[in-house]
Amino acid sequence: MAKVIADFDLCESNGMCEAFAPDVFEIDDDDYLQIADPTVTDENRDRVEQAVAGCPKAALRIEE
């Protein structure tokens, strides 16, 4: 099963990923990225791939 992984050392928590896939990514009250559900499914794969591609710091990847 595929899952999305974040490199929190690179992540700036700018929220681009949350804009693409709000069911997977969320910025918490302290402005830090949280991965609500790392599972990449057939239903969310396109949105997660867009989030990975759209990350300005290349802090996201999908691990198969």
Side-chain angles (χ1 to χ4, degrees):
M1 182 182 320
K3 62 182 179 176
V4 65
I5 306 290
D7 182 337
F8 292 102
D9 290 332
L10 294 175
C11 179
E12 291 181 337
S13 298
N14 59 36
M16 292 297 296
C17 54
E18 184 179 33
F20 286 111
D23 56 322
V24 177
F25 306 98
E26 60 186 49
I27 303 299
D28 68 17
D29 293 338
D30 294 322
D31 290 331
Y32 290 105
L33 173 67
Q34 301 296 317
I35 298 178
D37 183 359
T39 306
V40 179
T41 65
D42 290 340
E43 292 78 25
N44 72 9
R45 181 173 287 274
D46 286 343
R47 291 179 286 115
V48 172
E49 287 176 349
Q50 289 175 341
V52 169
C55 179
K57 298 303 284 184
L60 301 172
R61 65 184 165 85
I62 296 174
E63 185 174 278
E64 298 293 334

